[in-house]
Amino acid sequence: MSGIAEVFSDYHFNDQHLTLLAGPCAIESYEVCAQVAEQLKNLTDELKINFIFKSSFDKANRSSGSSDRGAGLEKGLAILDRIKKEYQVPIVTDVHESYQCQPVAEVADVLQIPAYLSRQTDLLVAPAKTGRVVNIKKAQFMAAGDLQGAIDKVIPYSNKILLTERGTMFGYHQQIVDMTNLLQLRQLGYPVIYDATHSVQVPGGHGNHSGGNRDFAFPLMRAALTIGVAGIFAEVHPNPPTAISDADNQLYLNKMRPILTTAAALFSQYQDQKESWDQDGLL
């Protein structure tokens, strides 16, 4: 069973601390990324949370072809590199094509496989070959156990793997969060991350762009932490309604203190009880 400390051995992360992958959904500007990175870095340092800054240089799977996709590869990586150096934080970002993996790995510490693409063999092998951490997001149409096939494509090249749950969709916009998936993913042997904001997304909810309900993110996050996960993934923005993507489900930056204070406490409570439950043969 791999833990966060093993996966992030270069960053001295602690398995007894909550891990957070968070930042704006898409890279809009250096200023927006810096504002989020600075506040989250200060807050996570204070709360002893392992922090990885997240933002995407290209939102390739937009509902509409006319939607803003973000900064692009070259400009986006330059912004992420600046954030990494100025705030001393590891970086996670999505890759959508195999050719992107090598240049992205020169900046990002975690290469994230979008859920819709989590069965794509070449896109799983290419990031694994870079030696960076690979975060595999479980597709909305996959059972938890089916992610073993994706893992098997990565492990010949790397054992630095995260598994992320982001809800299940049955073709009618609303996603369902089956919390038993978190237990089943945990049995696959790698740290499990719960994506609190994509789980409340409503794909195509506004016709030409996605909707969502950010108010549900925190309650579902609390449920996941009570069940037991290694970390939380959350999109965070200073003013979500103005964001170029996922405006309805990104969390407000100014609400992250109470959210993360509660999250860290719930994570610690689970850790305190886990050994006793394990001895009793309880999940």
Side-chain angles (χ1 to χ4, degrees):
M1 175 75 72
S2 296
I4 287 291
E6 180 179 348
V7 171
F8 288 95
S9 55
D10 295 338
Y11 286 91
H12 309 294
F13 280 5
N14 190 326
D15 287 330
Q16 299 305 308
H17 295 166
L18 175 65
T19 296
L20 175 70
L21 294 76
C25 175
I27 298 171
E28 300 173 19
S29 67
Y30 167 76
E31 289 74 20
V32 170
C33 287
Q35 183 180 356
V36 175
E38 180 175 6
Q39 292 192 38
L40 290 182
K41 178 67 162 63
N42 291 337
L43 186 54
T44 53
D45 282 352
E46 176 186 334
L47 296 172
K48 294 182 170 57
I49 294 173
N50 308 314
F51 175 49
I52 305 103
F53 179 82
K54 182 271 171 187
S55 201
S56 299
F57 59 83
D58 180 20
K59 303 302 294 183
N61 58 341
R62 303 308 304 272
S63 299
S64 170
S66 62
S67 296
D68 191 336
R69 291 175 54 164
L73 180 64
E74 184 175 351
K75 182 179 178 182
L77 288 180
I79 290 172
L80 291 176
D81 189 48
R82 187 176 171 188
I83 294 292
K84 179 177 183 175
K85 291 173 179 175
E86 291 189 10
Y87 297 100
Q88 294 296 297
V89 291
I91 299 292
V92 55
T93 195
D94 308 273
V95 288
H96 297 88
E97 304 278 356
S98 299
Y99 77 85
Q100 296 173 338
C101 294
Q102 194 56 52
V104 170
E106 293 175 10
V107 174
D109 305 87
V110 183
L111 275 60
Q112 182 167 280
I113 310 301
Y116 287 132
L117 303 176
S118 59
R119 288 169 53 110
Q120 298 297 105
T121 300
D122 292 344
L123 192 57
L124 290 161
V125 169
K129 285 183 175 180
T130 69
R132 295 300 198 177
V133 178
V134 182
N135 182 22
I136 309 172
K137 302 191 80 171
K138 182 182 74 63
Q140 299 91 327
F141 51 81
M142 290 175 69
D146 291 345
L147 210 55
Q148 184 65 57
I151 294 170
D152 290 343
K153 295 173 183 179
V154 172
I155 54 177
Y157 309 97
S158 175
N159 208 38
K160 296 179 179 180
I161 298 170
L162 300 175
L163 305 177
T164 296
E165 166 64 34
R166 58 143 301 158
T168 303
M169 187 170 62
F170 298 99
Y172 61 99
H173 293 165
Q174 187 73 31
Q175 294 186 102
I176 304 300
V177 180
D178 180 355
M179 291 292 172
T180 64
N181 275 334
L182 299 173
L183 300 172
Q184 294 176 69
L185 287 174
R186 205 162 67 199
Q187 293 171 358
L188 299 181
Y190 295 93
V192 176
I193 308 298
Y194 174 62
D195 184 341
T197 49
H198 280 113
S199 291
V200 299
Q201 185 188 60
V202 180
H206 293 298
N208 64 351
H209 66 280
S210 292
N213 191 331
R214 84 182 94 256
D215 292 339
F216 295 162
F218 183 42
L220 289 172
M221 183 191 303
R222 299 198 308 267
L225 288 162
T226 301
I227 285 174
V229 291
I232 294 295
F233 178 106
E235 296 175 317
V236 180
H237 194 281
N239 187 18
T242 68
I244 65 171
S245 64
D246 284 351
D248 288 355
N249 48 284
Q250 293 201 63
L251 299 175
Y252 280 90
L253 180 59
N254 65 7
K255 293 186 178 182
M256 291 309 292
R257 174 173 288 278
I259 289 174
L260 292 181
T261 299
T262 300
L266 288 172
F267 180 85
S268 294
Q269 289 171 19
Y270 175 82
Q271 295 300 313
D272 291 343
Q273 295 172 306
K274 181 177 183 300
E275 184 176 351
S276 174
W277 290 337
D278 286 346
Q279 290 174 353
D280 291 333
L282 299 172
L283 291 175

mmCIF file of all heavy atoms in Angstrom, residues 218-264:
data_model
loop_
_atom_site.group_PDB
_atom_site.id
_atom_site.type_symbol
_atom_site.label_atom_id
_atom_site.label_comp_id
_atom_site.label_asym_id
_atom_site.label_seq_id
_atom_site.Cartn_x
_atom_site.Cartn_y
_atom_site.Cartn_z
ATOM 1 N N PHE A 218 -18.716 21.083 -0.078
ATOM 2 C CA PHE A 218 -18.215 20.938 1.286
ATOM 3 C C PHE A 218 -18.893 19.780 2.028
ATOM 4 O O PHE A 218 -18.200 18.988 2.695
ATOM 5 C CB PHE A 218 -18.361 22.261 2.033
ATOM 6 C CG PHE A 218 -17.810 22.283 3.432
ATOM 7 C CD1 PHE A 218 -16.584 21.691 3.718
ATOM 8 C CD2 PHE A 218 -18.507 22.903 4.454
ATOM 9 C CE1 PHE A 218 -16.072 21.712 5.009
ATOM 10 C CE2 PHE A 218 -17.994 22.925 5.749
ATOM 11 C CZ PHE A 218 -16.785 22.332 6.019
ATOM 12 N N PRO A 219 -20.223 19.622 1.956
ATOM 13 C CA PRO A 219 -20.832 18.450 2.615
ATOM 14 C C PRO A 219 -20.300 17.118 2.081
ATOM 15 O O PRO A 219 -20.046 16.190 2.869
ATOM 16 C CB PRO A 219 -22.326 18.611 2.305
ATOM 17 C CG PRO A 219 -22.511 20.074 2.107
ATOM 18 C CD PRO A 219 -21.251 20.542 1.433
ATOM 19 N N LEU A 220 -20.121 17.016 0.769
ATOM 20 C CA LEU A 220 -19.598 15.774 0.202
ATOM 21 C C LEU A 220 -18.139 15.567 0.598
ATOM 22 O O LEU A 220 -17.696 14.436 0.831
ATOM 23 C CB LEU A 220 -19.743 15.786 -1.320
ATOM 24 C CG LEU A 220 -21.180 15.656 -1.841
ATOM 25 C CD1 LEU A 220 -21.225 15.874 -3.347
ATOM 26 C CD2 LEU A 220 -21.755 14.286 -1.491
ATOM 27 N N MET A 221 -17.383 16.650 0.677
ATOM 28 C CA MET A 221 -16.000 16.581 1.134
ATOM 29 C C MET A 221 -15.943 16.018 2.559
ATOM 30 O O MET A 221 -15.118 15.150 2.870
ATOM 31 C CB MET A 221 -15.368 17.975 1.093
ATOM 32 C CG MET A 221 -13.907 18.026 1.478
ATOM 33 S SD MET A 221 -13.293 19.726 1.729
ATOM 34 C CE MET A 221 -13.671 20.498 0.160
ATOM 35 N N ARG A 222 -16.825 16.504 3.420
ATOM 36 C CA ARG A 222 -16.860 16.016 4.802
ATOM 37 C C ARG A 222 -17.178 14.521 4.850
ATOM 38 O O ARG A 222 -16.589 13.768 5.634
ATOM 39 C CB ARG A 222 -17.884 16.803 5.623
ATOM 40 C CG ARG A 222 -17.592 18.291 5.709
ATOM 41 C CD ARG A 222 -18.342 18.974 6.848
ATOM 42 N NE ARG A 222 -19.770 18.729 6.870
ATOM 43 C CZ ARG A 222 -20.695 19.519 6.302
ATOM 44 N NH1 ARG A 222 -20.306 20.594 5.610
ATOM 45 N NH2 ARG A 222 -21.971 19.240 6.402
ATOM 46 N N ALA A 223 -18.108 14.099 4.008
ATOM 47 C CA ALA A 223 -18.470 12.677 3.968
ATOM 48 C C ALA A 223 -17.278 11.829 3.536
ATOM 49 O O ALA A 223 -16.993 10.779 4.127
ATOM 50 C CB ALA A 223 -19.653 12.470 3.025
ATOM 51 N N ALA A 224 -16.562 12.272 2.518
ATOM 52 C CA ALA A 224 -15.410 11.523 2.015
ATOM 53 C C ALA A 224 -14.311 11.421 3.072
ATOM 54 O O ALA A 224 -13.687 10.372 3.251
ATOM 55 C CB ALA A 224 -14.868 12.187 0.752
ATOM 56 N N LEU A 225 -14.073 12.509 3.781
ATOM 57 C CA LEU A 225 -13.045 12.509 4.822
ATOM 58 C C LEU A 225 -13.431 11.603 5.987
ATOM 59 O O LEU A 225 -12.573 10.976 6.615
ATOM 60 C CB LEU A 225 -12.799 13.933 5.308
ATOM 61 C CG LEU A 225 -12.053 14.823 4.304
ATOM 62 C CD1 LEU A 225 -12.232 16.298 4.655
ATOM 63 C CD2 LEU A 225 -10.570 14.449 4.268
ATOM 64 N N THR A 226 -14.709 11.509 6.275
ATOM 65 C CA THR A 226 -15.180 10.622 7.335
ATOM 66 C C THR A 226 -14.988 9.157 6.939
ATOM 67 O O THR A 226 -14.635 8.310 7.773
ATOM 68 C CB THR A 226 -16.666 10.893 7.644
ATOM 69 O OG1 THR A 226 -16.802 12.259 8.035
ATOM 70 C CG2 THR A 226 -17.169 10.002 8.765
ATOM 71 N N ILE A 227 -15.193 8.856 5.659
ATOM 72 C CA ILE A 227 -14.986 7.496 5.157
ATOM 73 C C ILE A 227 -13.500 7.156 5.132
ATOM 74 O O ILE A 227 -13.097 6.039 5.420
ATOM 75 C CB ILE A 227 -15.617 7.346 3.751
ATOM 76 C CG1 ILE A 227 -17.133 7.253 3.897
ATOM 77 C CG2 ILE A 227 -15.063 6.140 3.009
ATOM 78 C CD1 ILE A 227 -17.872 7.238 2.591
ATOM 79 N N GLY A 228 -12.666 8.157 4.791
ATOM 80 C CA GLY A 228 -11.222 7.949 4.800
ATOM 81 C C GLY A 228 -10.597 8.054 3.428
ATOM 82 O O GLY A 228 -10.656 7.111 2.634
ATOM 83 N N VAL A 229 -10.026 9.219 3.118
ATOM 84 C CA VAL A 229 -9.271 9.424 1.887
ATOM 85 C C VAL A 229 -7.938 10.076 2.242
ATOM 86 O O VAL A 229 -7.779 10.657 3.323
ATOM 87 C CB VAL A 229 -10.033 10.317 0.876
ATOM 88 C CG1 VAL A 229 -11.252 9.599 0.328
ATOM 89 C CG2 VAL A 229 -10.408 11.665 1.486
ATOM 90 N N ALA A 230 -6.978 9.971 1.332
ATOM 91 C CA ALA A 230 -5.662 10.564 1.579
ATOM 92 C C ALA A 230 -5.678 12.067 1.351
ATOM 93 O O ALA A 230 -4.877 12.801 1.938
ATOM 94 C CB ALA A 230 -4.612 9.922 0.680
ATOM 95 N N GLY A 231 -6.569 12.516 0.457
ATOM 96 C CA GLY A 231 -6.557 13.934 0.145
ATOM 97 C C GLY A 231 -7.807 14.404 -0.554
ATOM 98 O O GLY A 231 -8.695 13.625 -0.907
ATOM 99 N N ILE A 232 -7.839 15.716 -0.746
ATOM 100 C CA ILE A 232 -8.955 16.398 -1.386
ATOM 101 C C ILE A 232 -8.449 17.187 -2.582
ATOM 102 O O ILE A 232 -7.407 17.841 -2.519
ATOM 103 C CB ILE A 232 -9.648 17.361 -0.391
ATOM 104 C CG1 ILE A 232 -10.311 16.589 0.752
ATOM 105 C CG2 ILE A 232 -10.651 18.272 -1.103
ATOM 106 C CD1 ILE A 232 -11.465 15.695 0.323
ATOM 107 N N PHE A 233 -9.200 17.135 -3.665
ATOM 108 C CA PHE A 233 -8.972 17.961 -4.848
ATOM 109 C C PHE A 233 -10.092 18.994 -4.882
ATOM 110 O O PHE A 233 -11.268 18.647 -4.706
ATOM 111 C CB PHE A 233 -9.020 17.085 -6.103
ATOM 112 C CG PHE A 233 -8.843 17.817 -7.413
ATOM 113 C CD1 PHE A 233 -7.653 17.727 -8.121
ATOM 114 C CD2 PHE A 233 -9.877 18.568 -7.956
ATOM 115 C CE1 PHE A 233 -7.499 18.381 -9.330
ATOM 116 C CE2 PHE A 233 -9.732 19.227 -9.152
ATOM 117 C CZ PHE A 233 -8.540 19.147 -9.847
ATOM 118 N N ALA A 234 -9.735 20.264 -5.075
ATOM 119 C CA ALA A 234 -10.765 21.301 -5.118
ATOM 120 C C ALA A 234 -10.319 22.449 -6.009
ATOM 121 O O ALA A 234 -9.167 22.886 -5.951
ATOM 122 C CB ALA A 234 -11.060 21.829 -3.716
ATOM 123 N N GLU A 235 -11.231 22.909 -6.837
ATOM 124 C CA GLU A 235 -10.980 24.099 -7.644
ATOM 125 C C GLU A 235 -11.359 25.320 -6.812
ATOM 126 O O GLU A 235 -12.441 25.370 -6.220
ATOM 127 C CB GLU A 235 -11.784 24.045 -8.930
ATOM 128 C CG GLU A 235 -11.372 22.882 -9.819
ATOM 129 C CD GLU A 235 -12.254 22.746 -11.038
ATOM 130 O OE1 GLU A 235 -13.479 22.869 -10.905
ATOM 131 O OE2 GLU A 235 -11.710 22.513 -12.130
ATOM 132 N N VAL A 236 -10.451 26.283 -6.759
ATOM 133 C CA VAL A 236 -10.619 27.448 -5.884
ATOM 134 C C VAL A 236 -10.312 28.704 -6.685
ATOM 135 O O VAL A 236 -9.313 28.759 -7.412
ATOM 136 C CB VAL A 236 -9.674 27.358 -4.668
ATOM 137 C CG1 VAL A 236 -9.854 28.565 -3.758
ATOM 138 C CG2 VAL A 236 -9.893 26.056 -3.898
ATOM 139 N N HIS A 237 -11.163 29.722 -6.521
ATOM 140 C CA HIS A 237 -11.029 30.953 -7.325
ATOM 141 C C HIS A 237 -11.388 32.151 -6.456
ATOM 142 O O HIS A 237 -12.281 32.051 -5.598
ATOM 143 C CB HIS A 237 -11.966 30.861 -8.529
ATOM 144 C CG HIS A 237 -11.707 31.866 -9.605
ATOM 145 N ND1 HIS A 237 -12.126 33.188 -9.513
ATOM 146 C CD2 HIS A 237 -11.084 31.754 -10.809
ATOM 147 C CE1 HIS A 237 -11.772 33.829 -10.616
ATOM 148 N NE2 HIS A 237 -11.134 32.988 -11.416
ATOM 149 N N PRO A 238 -10.731 33.297 -6.660
ATOM 150 C CA PRO A 238 -11.103 34.491 -5.875
ATOM 151 C C PRO A 238 -12.540 34.945 -6.105
ATOM 152 O O PRO A 238 -13.194 35.448 -5.187
ATOM 153 C CB PRO A 238 -10.103 35.553 -6.367
ATOM 154 C CG PRO A 238 -8.974 34.789 -6.955
ATOM 155 C CD PRO A 238 -9.573 33.536 -7.521
ATOM 156 N N ASN A 239 -13.039 34.762 -7.325
ATOM 157 C CA ASN A 239 -14.405 35.173 -7.665
ATOM 158 C C ASN A 239 -14.977 34.194 -8.679
ATOM 159 O O ASN A 239 -15.007 34.476 -9.884
ATOM 160 C CB ASN A 239 -14.412 36.594 -8.228
ATOM 161 C CG ASN A 239 -15.819 37.120 -8.439
ATOM 162 O OD1 ASN A 239 -16.789 36.594 -7.891
ATOM 163 N ND2 ASN A 239 -15.957 38.172 -9.245
ATOM 164 N N PRO A 240 -15.435 33.034 -8.233
ATOM 165 C CA PRO A 240 -15.845 31.969 -9.146
ATOM 166 C C PRO A 240 -16.814 32.365 -10.256
ATOM 167 O O PRO A 240 -16.658 31.898 -11.397
ATOM 168 C CB PRO A 240 -16.461 30.922 -8.207
ATOM 169 C CG PRO A 240 -15.734 31.124 -6.933
ATOM 170 C CD PRO A 240 -15.527 32.606 -6.825
ATOM 171 N N PRO A 241 -17.824 33.210 -10.010
ATOM 172 C CA PRO A 241 -18.746 33.539 -11.101
ATOM 173 C C PRO A 241 -18.081 34.172 -12.323
ATOM 174 O O PRO A 241 -18.632 34.144 -13.419
ATOM 175 C CB PRO A 241 -19.734 34.521 -10.454
ATOM 176 C CG PRO A 241 -19.738 34.130 -9.010
ATOM 177 C CD PRO A 241 -18.313 33.770 -8.726
ATOM 178 N N THR A 242 -16.876 34.732 -12.152
ATOM 179 C CA THR A 242 -16.159 35.337 -13.283
ATOM 180 C C THR A 242 -15.176 34.372 -13.938
ATOM 181 O O THR A 242 -14.516 34.733 -14.914
ATOM 182 C CB THR A 242 -15.391 36.586 -12.832
ATOM 183 O OG1 THR A 242 -14.314 36.200 -11.951
ATOM 184 C CG2 THR A 242 -16.311 37.573 -12.122
ATOM 185 N N ALA A 243 -15.038 33.151 -13.395
ATOM 186 C CA ALA A 243 -14.055 32.203 -13.911
ATOM 187 C C ALA A 243 -14.405 31.769 -15.329
ATOM 188 O O ALA A 243 -15.579 31.701 -15.701
ATOM 189 C CB ALA A 243 -13.985 30.978 -12.996
ATOM 190 N N ILE A 244 -13.386 31.436 -16.116
ATOM 191 C CA ILE A 244 -13.631 31.049 -17.513
ATOM 192 C C ILE A 244 -14.130 29.619 -17.635
ATOM 193 O O ILE A 244 -14.607 29.218 -18.697
ATOM 194 C CB ILE A 244 -12.373 31.248 -18.387
ATOM 195 C CG1 ILE A 244 -11.236 30.311 -17.946
ATOM 196 C CG2 ILE A 244 -11.932 32.708 -18.370
ATOM 197 C CD1 ILE A 244 -10.050 30.312 -18.891
ATOM 198 N N SER A 245 -14.023 28.836 -16.573
ATOM 199 C CA SER A 245 -14.560 27.467 -16.600
ATOM 200 C C SER A 245 -14.954 27.053 -15.185
ATOM 201 O O SER A 245 -14.385 27.532 -14.196
ATOM 202 C CB SER A 245 -13.541 26.480 -17.175
ATOM 203 O OG SER A 245 -12.393 26.397 -16.362
ATOM 204 N N ASP A 246 -15.936 26.169 -15.106
ATOM 205 C CA ASP A 246 -16.448 25.667 -13.819
ATOM 206 C C ASP A 246 -16.813 26.792 -12.857
ATOM 207 O O ASP A 246 -16.573 26.709 -11.642
ATOM 208 C CB ASP A 246 -15.430 24.721 -13.174
ATOM 209 C CG ASP A 246 -15.427 23.349 -13.839
ATOM 210 O OD1 ASP A 246 -16.324 23.095 -14.673
ATOM 211 O OD2 ASP A 246 -14.549 22.542 -13.533
ATOM 212 N N ALA A 247 -17.437 27.823 -13.393
ATOM 213 C CA ALA A 247 -17.814 28.974 -12.563
ATOM 214 C C ALA A 247 -18.826 28.604 -11.487
ATOM 215 O O ALA A 247 -18.862 29.235 -10.423
ATOM 216 C CB ALA A 247 -18.382 30.086 -13.449
ATOM 217 N N ASP A 248 -19.646 27.584 -11.734
ATOM 218 C CA ASP A 248 -20.702 27.223 -10.783
ATOM 219 C C ASP A 248 -20.235 26.309 -9.663
ATOM 220 O O ASP A 248 -20.943 26.156 -8.659
ATOM 221 C CB ASP A 248 -21.863 26.536 -11.512
ATOM 222 C CG ASP A 248 -22.665 27.503 -12.367
ATOM 223 O OD1 ASP A 248 -22.382 28.711 -12.322
ATOM 224 O OD2 ASP A 248 -23.574 27.029 -13.085
ATOM 225 N N ASN A 249 -19.091 25.662 -9.820
ATOM 226 C CA ASN A 249 -18.690 24.710 -8.798
ATOM 227 C C ASN A 249 -17.337 24.993 -8.144
ATOM 228 O O ASN A 249 -16.960 24.329 -7.181
ATOM 229 C CB ASN A 249 -18.743 23.260 -9.303
ATOM 230 C CG ASN A 249 -18.098 23.035 -10.628
ATOM 231 O OD1 ASN A 249 -18.664 23.390 -11.644
ATOM 232 N ND2 ASN A 249 -16.918 22.438 -10.639
ATOM 233 N N GLN A 250 -16.595 25.998 -8.624
ATOM 234 C CA GLN A 250 -15.371 26.361 -7.921
ATOM 235 C C GLN A 250 -15.703 26.978 -6.561
ATOM 236 O O GLN A 250 -16.707 27.677 -6.413
ATOM 237 C CB GLN A 250 -14.544 27.342 -8.750
ATOM 238 C CG GLN A 250 -13.986 26.754 -10.031
ATOM 239 C CD GLN A 250 -12.800 27.534 -10.550
ATOM 240 O OE1 GLN A 250 -11.764 27.623 -9.892
ATOM 241 N NE2 GLN A 250 -12.935 28.109 -11.748
ATOM 242 N N LEU A 251 -14.832 26.749 -5.596
ATOM 243 C CA LEU A 251 -15.029 27.288 -4.254
ATOM 244 C C LEU A 251 -14.453 28.701 -4.147
ATOM 245 O O LEU A 251 -13.460 29.021 -4.789
ATOM 246 C CB LEU A 251 -14.352 26.386 -3.219
ATOM 247 C CG LEU A 251 -14.871 24.945 -3.147
ATOM 248 C CD1 LEU A 251 -14.033 24.131 -2.169
ATOM 249 C CD2 LEU A 251 -16.342 24.917 -2.749
ATOM 250 N N TYR A 252 -15.078 29.517 -3.318
ATOM 251 C CA TYR A 252 -14.578 30.865 -3.074
ATOM 252 C C TYR A 252 -13.305 30.798 -2.226
ATOM 253 O O TYR A 252 -13.274 30.132 -1.184
ATOM 254 C CB TYR A 252 -15.622 31.695 -2.345
ATOM 255 C CG TYR A 252 -16.713 32.247 -3.232
ATOM 256 C CD1 TYR A 252 -17.877 31.529 -3.459
ATOM 257 C CD2 TYR A 252 -16.573 33.490 -3.841
ATOM 258 C CE1 TYR A 252 -18.893 32.037 -4.272
ATOM 259 C CE2 TYR A 252 -17.574 34.021 -4.647
ATOM 260 C CZ TYR A 252 -18.735 33.285 -4.856
ATOM 261 O OH TYR A 252 -19.722 33.794 -5.668
ATOM 262 N N LEU A 253 -12.283 31.504 -2.657
ATOM 263 C CA LEU A 253 -11.019 31.535 -1.923
ATOM 264 C C LEU A 253 -11.217 32.021 -0.489
ATOM 265 O O LEU A 253 -10.596 31.495 0.441
ATOM 266 C CB LEU A 253 -10.020 32.431 -2.661
ATOM 267 C CG LEU A 253 -8.633 32.588 -2.041
ATOM 268 C CD1 LEU A 253 -7.929 31.244 -1.901
ATOM 269 C CD2 LEU A 253 -7.785 33.546 -2.890
ATOM 270 N N ASN A 254 -12.092 32.997 -0.302
ATOM 271 C CA ASN A 254 -12.259 33.567 1.041
ATOM 272 C C ASN A 254 -13.038 32.661 1.998
ATOM 273 O O ASN A 254 -13.209 32.996 3.170
ATOM 274 C CB ASN A 254 -12.904 34.958 0.981
ATOM 275 C CG ASN A 254 -14.321 34.948 0.445
ATOM 276 O OD1 ASN A 254 -14.915 33.885 0.217
ATOM 277 N ND2 ASN A 254 -14.884 36.126 0.215
ATOM 278 N N LYS A 255 -13.494 31.509 1.507
ATOM 279 C CA LYS A 255 -14.171 30.544 2.379
ATOM 280 C C LYS A 255 -13.301 29.325 2.693
ATOM 281 O O LYS A 255 -13.749 28.390 3.362
ATOM 282 C CB LYS A 255 -15.487 30.083 1.745
ATOM 283 C CG LYS A 255 -16.529 31.183 1.637
ATOM 284 C CD LYS A 255 -17.863 30.647 1.151
ATOM 285 C CE LYS A 255 -18.911 31.758 1.107
ATOM 286 N NZ LYS A 255 -20.232 31.261 0.671
ATOM 287 N N MET A 256 -12.056 29.352 2.224
ATOM 288 C CA MET A 256 -11.222 28.164 2.370
ATOM 289 C C MET A 256 -10.718 27.938 3.797
ATOM 290 O O MET A 256 -10.431 26.806 4.170
ATOM 291 C CB MET A 256 -10.038 28.227 1.393
ATOM 292 C CG MET A 256 -10.449 28.085 -0.068
ATOM 293 S SD MET A 256 -11.502 26.631 -0.377
ATOM 294 C CE MET A 256 -10.326 25.300 -0.095
ATOM 295 N N ARG A 257 -10.608 28.988 4.607
ATOM 296 C CA ARG A 257 -10.149 28.763 5.979
ATOM 297 C C ARG A 257 -11.102 27.844 6.750
ATOM 298 O O ARG A 257 -10.659 26.820 7.308
ATOM 299 C CB ARG A 257 -9.935 30.087 6.717
ATOM 300 C CG ARG A 257 -9.589 29.901 8.203
ATOM 301 C CD ARG A 257 -9.216 31.191 8.888
ATOM 302 N NE ARG A 257 -7.912 31.657 8.444
ATOM 303 C CZ ARG A 257 -6.759 31.220 8.920
ATOM 304 N NH1 ARG A 257 -6.743 30.277 9.862
ATOM 305 N NH2 ARG A 257 -5.620 31.686 8.470
ATOM 306 N N PRO A 258 -12.393 28.147 6.845
ATOM 307 C CA PRO A 258 -13.272 27.217 7.588
ATOM 308 C C PRO A 258 -13.378 25.851 6.922
ATOM 309 O O PRO A 258 -13.483 24.823 7.614
ATOM 310 C CB PRO A 258 -14.617 27.941 7.624
ATOM 311 C CG PRO A 258 -14.564 28.945 6.511
ATOM 312 C CD PRO A 258 -13.128 29.349 6.414
ATOM 313 N N ILE A 259 -13.342 25.834 5.600
ATOM 314 C CA ILE A 259 -13.417 24.551 4.891
ATOM 315 C C ILE A 259 -12.212 23.680 5.228
ATOM 316 O O ILE A 259 -12.343 22.504 5.595
ATOM 317 C CB ILE A 259 -13.530 24.775 3.365
ATOM 318 C CG1 ILE A 259 -14.911 25.331 3.008
ATOM 319 C CG2 ILE A 259 -13.260 23.473 2.604
ATOM 320 C CD1 ILE A 259 -15.064 25.720 1.551
ATOM 321 N N LEU A 260 -11.014 24.237 5.125
ATOM 322 C CA LEU A 260 -9.807 23.441 5.353
ATOM 323 C C LEU A 260 -9.573 23.150 6.826
ATOM 324 O O LEU A 260 -9.017 22.107 7.175
ATOM 325 C CB LEU A 260 -8.591 24.147 4.743
ATOM 326 C CG LEU A 260 -8.572 24.206 3.218
ATOM 327 C CD1 LEU A 260 -7.307 24.896 2.721
ATOM 328 C CD2 LEU A 260 -8.681 22.806 2.602
ATOM 329 N N THR A 261 -9.990 24.043 7.702
ATOM 330 C CA THR A 261 -9.883 23.767 9.139
ATOM 331 C C THR A 261 -10.720 22.544 9.497
ATOM 332 O O THR A 261 -10.266 21.642 10.220
ATOM 333 C CB THR A 261 -10.343 24.992 9.951
ATOM 334 O OG1 THR A 261 -9.503 26.113 9.635
ATOM 335 C CG2 THR A 261 -10.258 24.712 11.442
ATOM 336 N N THR A 262 -11.932 22.495 8.975
ATOM 337 C CA THR A 262 -12.803 21.338 9.214
ATOM 338 C C THR A 262 -12.240 20.091 8.556
ATOM 339 O O THR A 262 -12.226 19.000 9.151
ATOM 340 C CB THR A 262 -14.217 21.618 8.682
ATOM 341 O OG1 THR A 262 -14.755 22.754 9.343
ATOM 342 C CG2 THR A 262 -15.134 20.423 8.896
ATOM 343 N N ALA A 263 -11.765 20.234 7.326
ATOM 344 C CA ALA A 263 -11.230 19.086 6.590
ATOM 345 C C ALA A 263 -10.035 18.474 7.312
ATOM 346 O O ALA A 263 -9.935 17.241 7.448
ATOM 347 C CB ALA A 263 -10.829 19.516 5.174
ATOM 348 N N ALA A 264 -9.119 19.302 7.781
ATOM 349 C CA ALA A 264 -7.942 18.799 8.491
ATOM 350 C C ALA A 264 -8.345 18.086 9.783
ATOM 351 O O ALA A 264 -7.771 17.047 10.143
ATOM 352 C CB ALA A 264 -6.980 19.944 8.788
#
